[in-house]
Each structure stands twice: as C-alpha cells, then as structure tokens.
Amino acid sequence: MAPISLLVATLLATTASSAFEYNTFDGPGFPSCYNVSRVHDATSVDDMAAVVRAAAQSGSRVRAAGKGHMWYDTQCSDDWTVLVRTENVARISDLDLPAGADSGSVWVEAGVTFFQLAGYLHARGASVGYTLTNWNISFGGSVAMGAHRSSLREDSMVAAGVLAMDIIDGRGEVRRVVRDEGNDEWLAASTSLGLLGIIARIKLRVYPDTKVYAKQATLDEKDVLDGDIYGMIAPYATANFWASNSPWWPYKRKFHHRYYDTVPANSTAQEGFQNTFSVTELEAIAARTMLDSGKYLPTSNMLAEEIFFGLWSKPNFREKTTNKEIKEWPVYGWNYDVLIGGLYPDQKAEWEYGLAGYTLELAFPVTMANKMLKRVRQLFDAELKKGIVMTSTYRSGINIKFGKAYFDFLGQVTYNTADGADWSKGAIMFDFPSFRPTVGDHKRFNEQFYHKVANTLIDEFPCRPHWTKNTREVFDRSAKNLDPDHLRRFKAVRERFDPQGIYRNVIGEILGFY
Ligand SMILES: Cc1cc2nc3c(=O)[nH]c(=O)nc-3n(C[C@H](O)[C@H](O)[C@H](O)COP(=O)(O)OP(=O)(O)OC[C@H]3O[C@@H](n4cnc5c(N)ncnc54)[C@H](O)[C@@H]3O)c2cc1C
Ligand SMILES: *[C@@H]1O[C@H](CO)[C@@H](O)[C@H](O)[C@H]1NC(C)=O
Ligand SMILES: *[C@@H]1O[C@H](CO)[C@@H](O)[C@H](O)[C@H]1NC(C)=O
Ligand SMILES: *[C@@H]1O[C@H](CO)[C@@H](O)[C@H](O)[C@H]1NC(C)=O
C-alpha cells in the first residue's frame, strides 16, 4: 500500500467504532448520513482516488460530499461510510470560447459551485446558459443528482450541459465518459446518483455571456388550472411558476408567472441581482414566530401566505452596482445575476436563522400539467370541506418548474419509457416545500395532508422523484413509476464501474441496484 493508503486505512480502523451523523445544509438535526466513519477534505483528484483505493481495500463505503444542499437522509447507505468532501477540489481550466463562436467549453473540478464558475466566466465574457441551479451548489453534486433549472425551450438539466466527465470508479481508477447517447455508460453517468463513483472533473458547454430580462405577472388560479400551461412556459428561455422560479399560492388562489429571455447586452445599463433565499434577521424572526404558531393555528399560516404573496409580487432584485432595491418589472442584468443571483451583502440565507423546510418534488409529463394541478386543488378543497384551511408555508410559495425532455436512464425528464406517457414535450415539476416547525415534534399543521398529497400523486400519475428533495418513503413508493429497462441497464453499468458496491446509498438500494 502507498503511504497515503496506509494512513487512510489506519484512520478507518480507528474511527469506525465512533461513527457519527453528517448533516445537510440545515445543520444539526438534519442528517444526510447516519453512519459516517470519517470525513476526508480532499485536496485534489489524485487525493480522492487514493482515498477510494484505500477504502475499497478495507471494505468501507464511500460517498462524495459537495455543499450539503440536499434535504433528507438519503446521501449514504446506513453502513460505515467515508465521506470525501470536494469543496477544495475546485479548479477551473481550459476555457475555450473563441471570439464569434456560438459555444465553447470549460473544465471544472467536482467542488466548483455555480457561484464560482459564474464569476469566472462573466469576467471572461462567457456563461453556462440555462443549465443551472442555485448558487452554493457544486457541479459534481448537481450532475450526480439530476439537478435542473426550469425551461421547456432550452436544455435546463445541468447534465445537458456536460460534454464529458471523469469518474473515480469503485477501484479508484479515473474513467473518462464522453457524451454519446448510443453508449449505456454515458446514459448512466448522465444522472448517476453518485453510484458509479465520484465525479471528479466535468467538461461543460459555455456560451457568450448575455444580458436577460426578468418579468413577472400575477395570474388567477383558474387561468392556470384551465389554461394553456405549455404555452405560458415554452416561448421563454426560462420560465416557471415561482421566483428564480414562480409560485402557486393555494390559499390566495393565485400564481406568480416568472419568465426570462435574452436582450442585447448594449440595450440596458441595469445590473439586476436576484435573491431568492436571503432575509434580514428581523424578517426571519417574524416569519419563524408566525409559522411556528401556524403549527397549531391555521390563521397564522393564512396571514403568512398573505405576507409572502405580497413580498413576492415585487421584484426580489437589487441593482448590483449600488445595492439599491429594484422596484419595477422588467428587471435587466447579466445572465447569472438575474437567473440565480445570490445573497444580498447585508443578509443571510433563511436557513441560517433556523427557517428550515420539508419538501417533496415530483416530475409529471407536461401534457398532464392541468390534470395534476387540478388534482392537487381537489386535495386542498377536500381539507376545506372539513373546515381545515391549508396554505403554502414557504416564503417563496409552492414552486412549479418545468424541464425540457432529455434522454438518460435516471433523469427526471427522460422519455421513451415503459409507462407509455408522453414525456417528449417535457415535464412539469411540483415542488412543495413547507415550513418545518422549530417547536414540539416538528410536525406540520395537519401533517397527514402532506403525505396524502404525495401518495395520491405517486399512485395516480406516472411521476418521478427529484433525487435530493424527497424522503425515503417517497422513493420507495415512486420506484414503481420508473422504467424497468432503464433500471436494468443502469445496474449493468453500475456493476462494471463499482463491482463491490462501495458507493451504494439508500436510493440505490431502493431502486434494486444491490
Ligand atoms: C437552497 C437550495 C436550492 C436548490 N435549488 C435547486 C434547483 O434550482 N434545481 C435543482 O434541481 N435542485 C436544487 N437544489 C438541490 C440541489 O441541486 C441538489 O441537492 C444537489 O445534489 C446538491 O449538490 P451539493 O453540491 O450540495 O451536494 P451534496 O448535497 O453534498 O450531495 C448531494 C448528493 O450528491 C452526491 N455527490 C455530491 N458530489 C458528488 C460528486 N462529485 N460525485 C458523485 N456524487 C456526488 C452526494 O453523495 C449526495 O448523494 C437546491 C437545494 C437547495 C438547498
Ligand atoms: C456556502 O456553503 C458553505 C458550506 O459548504 C458555507 O460555509 C458558506 O457560508 C455558504 N455560502 C453562502 C453564500 O451561503
Ligand atoms: C454502522 O455500520 C456498521 C457496519 O456497517 C453497523 O455494524 C452499525 O450498526 C451501523 N451503525 C448505525 C448507527 O447504523
Ligand atoms: C448594440 O449592438 C448591436 C450589435 O453589436 C448594434 O448593431 C447596435 O447598433 C448596438 N446598439 C446600440 C444602442 O449601441
């Protein structure tokens, strides 16, 4: 064994008896893994490969850890696991975008975040286009878990922007997988759930930087539920019903319809910067107090939805150069700043003030969008008939997003599946976050309603789960909706990359890969 492997093996042996929990971005009380023997802060791709080789020899399990931006206890299996943190493996190199070209490419290492890459590219007149997620999330973690933005017109799965990737397999060897829809290795790697190995480097497509506008309209619920939903989304570069997305406000019976598209860079001097998650301490305390009381009193939730709806009707943007609030739609600015943005300098993310959430996210064929939303409305109304008022308890409402069809084995927007549903027009995602009370048993007001919504949708629709925004129960129940042939072909690739199954996690177990 190389000295480093010996060192790692020793550490594994000495710390395994005191396994500990590892947490999501929400911190203590929000475990993503229950049985972590050690967290290794990786320093390079070679260093990660050495740790994997040592773990494979000692029979330990391994999972990559990015920025912890996942919701539930589904990162690992429940057996001893070494976590390899990618945060410091974050080099950006080989930007290739010749003047006048429509697109080019760049290599990023696993731990590079959207934030870091956006800054790097903007300074060099480039952007990644629409294959985006929120700011403090790693490319490795997003590609592994099938993360996406919202668009029916443009590719919006992060993986759709990937041209090639280097994966550290279960023996610690680095394998390059290049985009090729005729190759099962690519189709598995494209959404791998980290089960093929640690994604170490990614080659991404880039584009010349653009300015974009953001606009928002408020719609009556009936105009969406009975409307041409496809037609409201497909014309735009990115659009949805929430903020960097657009929300549904079920108590107010309103939707916010947010949409974006490009404008000539020289047409505006404005540099709008969006914030979706930052709040002041005062706002956070007020919201937490109100929503905690909403665990018992629905009137508090009704008031909260009124306030959030009002806040969300105004642009959640500031002018980047002056940090001044922008008060009118449309808002203009550079691609990444407008589509995603980040935190305002004088504020923190809501979860840093103890505002934590539960969530559920399912994808449906967009051809079933009206039927699905109406079914959810029926479920809300059934509660109302019993005298129970249900609301959105999340600051940015119920997120409704969309995804252009993109073919791979485990992606949420794949098509040609055995369910016979028409996924070729793309998908609508129902993302139902809700406040997790900080008090008592942490259950929500009328807790069983949330489970009823999940179970009804999973049983009545050919819907698929987002891979980091659902509970183990939701993965268990929705596994029946996945294409058996895709699962079989994925498993065959998994067995070639990781014959010992060192990268297994609970999702892979539920899907029958072990
Ligand atoms: C505030 C917030 C906003 C979000 N916005 C969006 C959104 O707009 N769209 C969307 O689709 N999702 C969104 N997400 C979900 C997020 O994109 C995913 O959970 C993503 O996987 C998190 O990446 P991470 O770097 O934080 O990884 P972690 O949370 O650390 O890890 C997530 C999973 O990926 C695995 N993993 C991490 N890195 C690698 C790697 N290099 N190789 C192999 N496996 C790896 C881990 O083992 C784990 O199973 C959001 C989450 C939060 C908290
Ligand atoms: C990003 O995540 C890291 C944890 O990995 C955290 O320390 C940091 O504060 C976060 N940054 C922002 C801007 O939220
Ligand atoms: C952790 O995993 C080990 C071995 O895989 C097992 O014996 C132990 O019971 C697990 N501990 C917990 C807390 O799950
Ligand atoms: C903006 O740029 C375009 C193309 O580069 C050019 O044709 C146009 O005249 C410019 N407009 C202004 C207002 O400068």
Side-chain angles (χ1 to χ4, degrees), residues 66-69 85 87 113 115 135-137 342-343 349 351-352:
K67 290 292 195 171
H69 273 49
R85 284 183 76 234
E87 186 165 307
T113 61
F115 214 40
W135 73 95
N136 204 6
I137 294 177
L343 293 178
W351 48 89
E352 305 225 359

Side-chain angles (χ1 to χ4, degrees), residues 300-441:
S300 299
N301 296 333
M302 289 145 73
L303 179 62
E305 199 184 290
E306 283 285 357
I307 295 170
F308 294 152
F309 173 82
L311 284 175
W312 222 250
S313 298
K314 296 186 288 187
N316 54 324
F317 288 83
R318 286 186 186 175
E319 166 61 44
K320 199 177 185 180
T321 52
T322 60
N323 206 25
K324 284 222 177 75
E325 193 185 340
I326 294 175
K327 295 190 173 138
E328 276 169 27
W329 301 106
V331 174
Y332 300 95
W334 291 104
N335 175 296
Y336 184 84
D337 290 344
V338 172
L339 298 179
I340 300 283
L343 293 178
Y344 294 152
D346 51 345
Q347 301 186 0
K348 285 194 203 163
E350 54 194 8
W351 48 89
E352 305 225 359
Y353 296 110
L355 286 160
Y358 294 104
T359 194
L360 162 81
E361 183 173 330
L362 300 168
F364 306 75
V366 70
T367 51
M368 294 183 169
N370 300 80
K371 192 177 167 198
M372 181 274 287
L373 291 176
K374 285 180 180 173
R375 187 70 183 99
V376 177
R377 169 41 73 198
Q378 272 182 357
L379 294 170
F380 274 104
D381 288 347
E383 297 305 303
L384 213 50
K385 283 200 193 106
K386 294 187 261 171
I388 303 173
V389 183
M390 295 306 293
T391 70
S392 166
T393 56
Y394 199 67
R395 181 165 157 274
S396 54
I398 299 179
N399 310 323
I400 310 291
K401 304 173 229 178
F402 298 84
K404 183 177 167 178
Y406 170 82
F407 191 74
D408 62 12
F409 292 150
L410 299 183
Q412 273 192 299
V413 293
T414 196
Y415 52 93
N416 277 346
T417 42
D419 55 18
D422 181 8
W423 292 89
S424 66
K425 308 263 181 329
I428 178 169
M429 284 89 166
F430 178 76
D431 173 5
F432 190 3
S434 49
F435 177 71
R436 178 185 186 269
T438 64
V439 292
D441 59 5

Side-chain angles (χ1 to χ4, degrees), residues 134-198:
N134 274 290
W135 73 95
N136 204 6
I137 294 177
S138 74
F139 273 91
S142 314
V143 172
M145 306 313 286
H148 53 79
R149 193 178 155 82
S150 181
S151 181
L152 289 173
R153 191 184 86 189
E154 308 289 334
D155 276 326
S156 67
M157 285 271 291
V158 179
V162 176
L163 299 168
M165 56 183 126
D166 285 348
I167 298 179
I168 301 172
D169 72 13
R171 295 186 189 86
E173 303 296 326
V174 178
R175 298 199 194 194
R176 178 153 300 177
V177 187
V178 177
R179 170 174 292 279
D180 172 6
E181 289 191 4
N183 183 342
D184 278 15
E185 288 194 358
W186 166 259
L187 295 173
S190 167
T191 304
S192 66
L193 314 185
L195 302 176
L196 304 186
I198 301 175

